[in-house]
Amino acid sequence: SYSAPSAASVQEQKIPIRVAGFYDPGILPVGNRCLLVPQEITRSIYASTQTFSPDGAPTNGFFIWTEDPARCKQELSKRFSELGIAPYWQIATYEEFEFSKDLMQQFQSDRTLFLLIAAIILLVACCNIISLLVLLVNDKRKEIAILHALGAPFTSIAGIFGLCGMIMGCVACLLGSLAALFTLKHLDVLVSFLSALQGRAAFHPAFFGSTLPSELSYDALLFVLIATPLLSLTAGLIPALKAARLKPSSVLRAE
């Protein structure tokens, strides 16, 4: 990959090559930094003027696109060290470039912020479940007292309201997952609506690309389907314990 100036800007040019092997020229200082390639490749590179990159990004070199850049860097560094050519190469991921380091840190900060917002939303949802079940316990005090008087055990009374909280969480999880899948499928329509509402692009292409990622994360979906019922059950324990501790004599006397 090398940079070549055009009429409007500097554009990146790419030449695919296949590494056939490494050659050790001995003590020659220049040979260690040379690549033996066909003449047409050198003509193409030297025909362009090398530009200076003020942001620290490499203008010429080998760029490798992989799903795990950190692991690829580690494996390349290990192999280069074994071959004895590590001092002549600089291996870096895109996160280490000056022009993208601040941007990646900002994305990580945004991710942490969104996780905090999601945690607050879950906390509010659990509080809503607790409030609804407390109101249900207060409304069903007479029925709970009758069940106690008929010999219903502590665990049965607590299990009824704990199960109610879990059912509420499961229904909400199902509806929320369906809404999320529908939104993910029609993400372009939502982005267009937000852009029209703001009068400008909701997600700038320079930062987010021309299209937003719309792939479903099955790990995240599985986590939601497992964690939501457990959180709902946990939120339902407080009203369930309150219902199980009601004294039937005092309740029936008050009724």
Side-chain angles (χ1 to χ4, degrees):
S1 176
Y2 65 97
S3 301
S6 62
S9 62
V10 178
Q11 296 182 353
E12 181 185 22
Q13 307 294 330
K14 299 178 181 179
I15 299 179
I17 62 173
R18 182 176 64 88
V19 179
F22 290 96
Y23 170 67
D24 185 6
I27 60 175
L28 294 177
V30 179
N32 291 337
R33 299 179 181 273
C34 290
L35 189 68
L36 303 179
V37 296
Q39 293 184 357
E40 56 270 15
I41 295 181
T42 57
R43 291 195 187 101
S44 300
I45 296 178
Y46 283 104
S48 63
T49 303
Q50 183 175 1
T51 58
F52 173 74
S53 179
D55 56 10
T59 55
N60 294 324
F62 298 95
F63 294 85
I64 302 174
W65 282 262
T66 177
E67 295 181 356
D68 193 351
R71 182 179 179 183
C72 181
K73 175 185 175 180
Q74 182 180 2
E75 293 294 333
L76 287 176
S77 300
K78 180 180 178 182
R79 290 290 297 158
F80 280 26
S81 298
E82 293 175 354
L83 295 172
I85 59 175
Y88 312 108
W89 296 87
Q90 180 182 1
I91 305 174
T93 63
Y94 67 94
E95 296 178 350
E96 299 172 354
F97 294 165
E98 285 296 327
F99 77 96
S100 62
K101 183 184 300 182
D102 297 336
L103 186 61
M104 296 304 299
Q105 291 179 353
Q106 182 62 41
F107 285 159
Q108 293 177 357
S109 300
D110 293 343
R111 181 180 181 182
T112 304
L113 178 61
F114 290 148
L115 288 176
L116 180 61
I117 294 175
I120 294 175
I121 293 175
L122 287 176
L123 180 62
V124 172
C126 291
C127 292
N128 288 333
I129 293 177
I130 294 174
S131 301
L132 289 175
L133 291 179
V134 167
L135 293 176
L136 181 61
V137 169
N138 292 333
D139 187 56
K140 300 295 183 182
R141 290 169 59 90
K142 182 178 179 181
E143 288 79 0
I144 295 173
I146 293 175
L147 289 176
H148 274 299
L150 293 175
F154 176 89
T155 54
S156 298
I157 301 298
I160 291 174
F161 291 94
L163 184 61
C164 288
M166 187 174 181
I167 292 175
M168 292 172 61
C170 291
V171 172
C173 177
L174 180 61
L175 295 177
S177 299
L178 292 177
L181 293 175
F182 179 81
T183 304
L184 192 63
K185 187 176 181 180
H186 301 83
L187 188 59
D188 295 337
V189 178
L190 179 60
V191 173
S192 301
F193 173 74
L194 293 176
S195 301
L197 190 64
Q198 296 180 358
R200 55 182 176 83
F203 299 93
H204 199 283
F207 300 99
F208 299 95
S210 57
T211 58
L212 294 179
S214 58
E215 296 181 0
L216 176 63
S217 175
Y218 292 98
D219 294 336
L221 181 61
L222 182 62
F223 174 78
V224 170
L225 294 178
I226 295 177
T228 302
L230 294 178
L231 287 175
S232 303
L233 180 61
T234 304
L237 289 179
I238 298 177
L241 294 176
K242 179 182 178 180
R245 293 181 181 276
L246 289 178
K247 295 182 179 180
S249 56
S250 59
V251 174
L252 293 177
R253 188 181 303 110
E255 294 292 337

